[in-house]
Amino acid sequence: MQFPQALETVLETLERMREEGAHRPCASREMLAQLEKAGAVAPNSPQTRPSRTGTGNRSYQATVDIAPTRDTNSSGKLAAINERVCACVKCPNLANSRTQTVFGVGNPDADLMFVGEAPGADEDAQGEPFVGRAGQLLTKIIKAMGFTREEVYIANVLKCRPDTPGISYGNRPPTPTEMQTCRPYLMEQIDIIQPKVIVALGAVAVEGLLGARAPMHQLRGRWNSFNGTPLMVTYHPAYLLRNQSPSEKRKVWEDMMQVLERLEKPISEKQRSYFL
Ligand code: URA
């Protein structure tokens, strides 16, 4: 089947799911890419039949199992997790308040992975992590390191924006229960991507990844191990937006130079004297 037909099939399936009462049915870009690669299956065939997930009566998942030629590459595996994340209602308050889930973005085989806290209002609206003001600063840091956003992988501990009733700007911190509930998705992402280095952005990311709580000034700039993968802790870009002091920005840059060294990337003189 050609891609336009495949797309039509997906749209028809999503429409049918919505008519049947599904709560914001969605198809990820990754799934569409998979369809383009593998060809789609007809509506109502066993492979595209919406399957009920979770305990609520409005929760469905648009599953496209392309068995027997199931995609075993990282992109396909991530797409499969994203389909589960899209349909996740394990935190009913977040499932009800979110515009959409925010899974992750970037190279499925990245050497370098950044992990933040949770989507904010901009990310909730756009479905991509780190696209707001903090995200722009993170993108600047990534570029200064000599990478593009497409070359690294960016994800969060939480895949939903923490609900902030009546407040359209800013986030409350995720609760320990929310972090515990969402953590398995992040674990699966890391397992598939197998980055050479993980950067934990801020205290919530550290807690979500390592289960450790401590003041950031004690945690940052140090190497940890996440199941054997070197993990560098640094300040969250939002902290740098709140605290514009050059010395704090320099600390983050020094942490990133440690990351470059660990990745065995050459550091230029310009990079060594760089200030964010
Ligand atoms: N802050 C985060 O921790 N993650 C985002 O995606 C955006 C802002």
Side-chain angles (χ1 to χ4, degrees):
M1 194 184 286
Q2 294 303 301
F3 183 63
Q5 276 173 282
L7 187 60
E8 193 58 34
T9 302
V10 171
L11 293 175
E12 276 172 17
T13 305
L14 291 173
E15 259 170 38
R16 204 175 54 254
M17 288 164 68
R18 196 173 49 195
E19 279 159 18
E20 288 169 5
H23 181 58
R24 295 192 182 114
C26 59
S28 65
R29 271 186 231 151
E30 287 91 341
M31 187 178 84
L32 294 176
Q34 251 195 311
L35 279 169
E36 187 177 18
K37 228 166 56 185
V41 285
N44 296 326
S45 76
Q47 285 105 323
T48 52
R49 209 165 33 232
S51 66
R52 281 185 70 164
T53 58
T55 51
N57 63 0
R58 293 187 305 156
S59 160
Y60 291 73
Q61 183 180 5
T63 54
V64 178
D65 293 332
I66 314 179
T69 55
R70 183 184 283 282
D71 204 336
T72 52
N73 65 21
S74 309
S75 165
K77 288 178 185 171
L78 288 173
I81 306 167
N82 190 16
E83 297 317 315
R84 283 190 276 125
V85 167
C86 269
C88 182
V89 289
K90 288 180 189 163
C91 306
N93 53 320
L94 304 191
N96 270 324
S97 61
R98 72 188 178 213
T99 305
Q100 57 195 313
T101 53
V102 180
F103 182 64
V105 73
N107 178 0
D109 298 306
D111 285 344
L112 177 56
M113 178 166 180
F114 291 88
V115 178
E117 179 174 322
D122 294 308
E123 290 76 19
D124 174 72
Q126 295 184 43
E128 183 171 328
F130 283 100
V131 291
R133 277 186 69 223
Q136 283 159 22
L137 181 51
L138 178 62
T139 305
K140 187 175 163 189
I141 294 168
I142 290 168
K143 282 189 184 154
M145 293 173 80
F147 294 104
T148 62
R149 263 175 85 96
E150 293 73 30
E151 286 174 311
V152 302
Y153 197 88
I154 309 172
N156 283 308
V157 173
L158 246 61
K159 309 303 185 216
C160 293
R161 183 182 182 213
D163 53 338
T164 47
I167 304 169
S168 62
Y169 191 77
N171 267 11
R172 66 164 171 79
T175 66
T177 306
E178 286 165 349
M179 283 201 268
Q180 230 178 353
T181 307
C182 212
R183 191 173 188 269
Y185 295 131
L186 178 62
M187 301 301 102
E188 286 188 75
Q189 283 176 297
I190 295 172
D191 240 29
I192 290 165
I193 296 163
Q194 297 197 350
K196 289 185 182 152
V197 171
I198 298 170
V199 175
L201 300 164
V204 170
V206 175
E207 193 178 343
L209 285 161
L210 302 176
R213 274 192 202 203
M216 272 306 288
H217 66 87
Q218 285 172 18
L219 294 170
R220 72 141 279 274
R222 294 179 191 275
W223 285 107
N224 295 264
S225 170
F226 176 81
N227 295 340
T229 303
L231 182 149
M232 169 56 64
V233 177
T234 197
Y235 288 126
H236 193 287
Y239 167 77
L240 295 184
L241 292 175
R242 289 193 305 272
N243 184 338
Q244 296 274 348
S245 114
S247 66
E248 296 304 274
K249 291 183 179 177
R250 178 69 196 176
K251 283 175 192 164
V252 170
W253 184 240
E254 279 169 9
D255 301 344
M256 293 308 100
M257 282 199 285
Q258 287 201 63
V259 168
L260 289 176
E261 274 164 16
R262 194 74 180 223
L263 290 170
E264 297 179 352
K265 288 259 290 179
I267 304 176
S268 67
E269 273 318 303
K270 192 174 163 204
Q271 279 175 314
R272 282 199 193 282
S273 54
Y274 185 73
F275 274 81
L276 290 173

